[in-house]
Amino acid sequence: MSDIKVASRYAKALLELAVEKNQLEEVNRDVNQLLEIATENRNIVLLLNSPIINTDKKHNVLKALFEKTGNPITLSFFDIITRKNRANNLVETAKEFKKQYNQHMGIQVAEVTTTFVLTDDLREQFKSIVKEISGLDKIELVEKINKELIGGFVLKVNDKLLDDSISGKLRLLKLEFAQRYFVKMY
């Protein structure tokens, strides 16, 4: 079975259990913490993915990271995943859990990339655009800064991409010129 299917099934099971036990927010907090740790510390991801490191060590590392603050459901989930030699799917499962959590809660995540830090007014304008596109009221904006855009913005909502950046317009113009045949005039 592919890693994506495994991650999706594990995430669904974790989400359903957390909802059933009325501890969804606590489990979500733990998943966010795992994703944050994985982003900040590449060694944790390498440890979880390593076939050389035994499952006991992986379990002990996860236990040390989450023992004091982790929810019992999350800790049990980590234990099951490591015992089944699926720790290499843990980060991907956490990402999939976030997607399913957002869908369950009716939250639309959108990514906006600009060349500068957004003001509150611009942030609200982007949120209203995302509301219009998605039809959802709860919006979570992920803001990124990319100086290579030159100007404008790129807004990504699910599989829709709204590229109103100068670099994007230049790229389209370059493609248009490449597709046409021009005759040199002397």
Side-chain angles (χ1 to χ4, degrees):
M1 189 179 326
S2 75
D3 289 344
I4 295 170
K5 281 186 179 180
V6 170
S8 179
R9 289 182 180 180
Y10 279 142
K12 183 178 180 188
L14 180 61
L15 181 81
E16 288 175 355
L17 181 63
V19 168
E20 180 183 314
K21 298 292 184 181
N22 203 22
Q23 297 185 8
L24 182 59
E25 292 306 317
E26 294 86 350
V27 171
N28 183 52
R29 184 194 64 230
D30 293 343
V31 169
N32 286 335
Q33 185 179 351
L34 175 65
L35 289 172
E36 188 177 312
I37 290 169
T39 302
E40 293 174 359
N41 191 340
R42 185 171 180 265
N43 290 334
I44 294 292
V45 177
L46 293 175
L47 174 124
L48 292 173
N49 291 338
S50 175
I52 298 170
I53 298 174
N54 69 30
T55 58
D56 289 336
K57 287 184 182 178
K58 292 176 184 181
H59 174 72
N60 289 338
V61 167
L62 289 169
K63 187 176 177 184
L65 289 171
F66 291 93
E67 188 172 42
K68 293 179 182 168
T69 60
N71 184 285
I73 293 173
T74 313
L75 293 172
S76 296
F77 179 76
F78 291 163
D79 181 48
I80 292 168
I81 294 287
T82 53
R83 277 190 290 123
K84 291 193 173 281
N85 288 323
R86 293 286 194 169
N88 59 318
N89 295 113
L90 201 52
V91 175
E92 194 61 39
T93 300
K95 290 176 185 176
E96 186 61 33
F97 178 88
K98 283 302 298 174
K99 287 179 189 173
Q100 292 181 20
Y101 170 83
N102 288 336
Q103 187 176 10
H104 178 77
M105 298 300 287
I107 300 170
Q108 177 62 60
V109 178
E111 184 179 297
V112 62
T113 307
T114 59
T115 58
F116 55 88
V117 177
L118 292 179
T119 63
D120 290 336
D121 186 42
L122 280 174
R123 193 172 290 113
E124 290 306 315
Q125 288 179 19
F126 280 118
K127 284 184 178 182
S128 69
I129 292 169
V130 174
K131 282 180 186 178
E132 193 175 308
I133 292 171
S134 69
L136 297 175
D137 290 330
K138 297 178 187 175
I139 307 298
E140 184 179 309
L141 274 183
V142 177
E143 300 174 24
K144 294 185 177 182
I145 295 175
N146 183 354
K147 299 288 184 189
E148 293 178 11
L149 288 180
I150 303 172
F153 65 90
V154 176
L155 179 63
K156 183 178 178 186
V157 182
N158 294 331
D159 60 347
K160 294 181 173 111
L161 184 71
L162 178 60
D163 188 349
D164 196 33
S165 65
I166 293 175
S167 63
K169 289 177 182 177
L170 287 172
R171 188 173 43 255
L172 287 174
L173 194 58
K174 183 178 177 181
L175 282 171
E176 189 176 322
F177 279 134
Q179 291 175 353
R180 295 182 185 216
Y181 298 105
F182 291 98
V183 178
K184 281 189 173 181
M185 302 283 285
Y186 292 99

